[in-house]
Amino acid sequence: MSTPTFYKPDGYRSDESVGFLMRRIMLSLVTDIDRRLETLGLTHAQWTPLFMIAQGKAGTLAELSRELQIDPGALTRTLDRLEAKGLCRRVRSTSDRRVARLELTDDGRSVADEVPKVMSEVLNAYLTGFSHDEWQTLLSLLRRMLCNADAIKAKDAQQPGSQTG
């Protein structure tokens, strides 16, 4: 399949850029979600890993770092703050002492349970006026773009001299 030429350097406008619009929407979403979760004492940097752990998408620092695409050092500092707040803990593996499993405390689970409620409220507000079919189409199109991004990343990783290859 050939690469389309929807965008051209001459006449390029950021307000017609899919990437620019997605970034503006994401920044707005995060701001609104952060504002609502602020009452729980959480920042975006904190509620995101907390939610990922609660969903079972990551059980170690390395998994969480990959899932969130965040530097392990920065994530360690975030986990330190979450641990200090009594929301999570690191539990050393009995089979491999180098590995620490991430677990939520009861308070952490309680706080993490609020995240999908807030996210649902905010996302539904942003989708005001969309029909169910339009929402499903939007999801399908975004998933297709993500697949294209993954294919580009895989292709780039196979290139000689690649940083990831």
Side-chain angles (χ1 to χ4, degrees):
M1 192 179 322
S2 66
T3 302
T5 54
F6 298 125
Y7 296 102
K8 295 180 176 68
D10 57 321
Y12 179 88
R13 294 179 38 177
S14 60
D15 62 341
E16 294 179 0
S17 163
V18 171
F20 178 78
L21 294 171
M22 287 191 308
R23 178 162 171 76
R24 294 255 337 252
I25 291 166
M26 277 305 302
L27 288 172
S28 185
L29 277 168
V30 166
T31 299
D32 286 348
I33 293 167
D34 277 358
R35 186 174 36 80
R36 293 178 190 213
L37 290 174
E38 187 175 58
T39 60
L40 299 174
L42 294 177
T43 65
H44 181 259
Q46 295 170 348
W47 67 257
T48 308
L50 197 69
F51 186 56
M52 287 291 147
I53 296 166
Q55 287 187 305
K57 292 194 173 193
T60 66
L61 174 68
E63 292 169 356
L64 196 55
S65 176
R66 275 191 305 276
E67 185 72 27
L68 297 175
Q69 297 180 9
I70 296 175
D71 173 73
L75 196 51
T76 295
R77 291 184 293 279
T78 298
L79 291 171
D80 289 345
R81 285 190 281 283
L82 289 172
E83 208 166 10
K85 290 181 177 190
L87 301 176
C88 76
R89 63 180 157 257
R90 296 174 187 113
V91 179
R92 289 273 167 222
S93 168
T94 54
S95 60
D96 185 347
R97 298 289 297 157
R98 295 170 296 176
V99 176
R101 302 289 308 161
L102 303 172
E103 294 180 357
L104 298 183
T105 62
D106 289 341
D107 286 346
R109 274 187 290 284
S110 177
V111 169
D113 286 347
E114 295 302 311
V115 173
K117 294 174 190 173
V118 169
M119 289 176 72
S120 294
E121 289 171 7
V122 172
L123 286 168
N124 284 332
Y126 278 58
L127 292 167
T128 298
F130 282 65
S131 70
H132 184 271
D133 287 346
E134 288 171 329
W135 170 58
Q136 288 299 302
T137 298
L138 178 59
L139 289 174
S140 175
L141 296 172
L142 291 171
R143 285 184 189 112
R144 191 179 333 164
M145 281 187 75
L146 187 57
C147 284
N148 288 343
D150 289 344
I152 290 167
K153 190 173 12 173
K155 181 181 173 191
D156 289 348
Q158 294 173 357
Q159 299 295 321
S162 166
Q163 296 294 328
T164 57

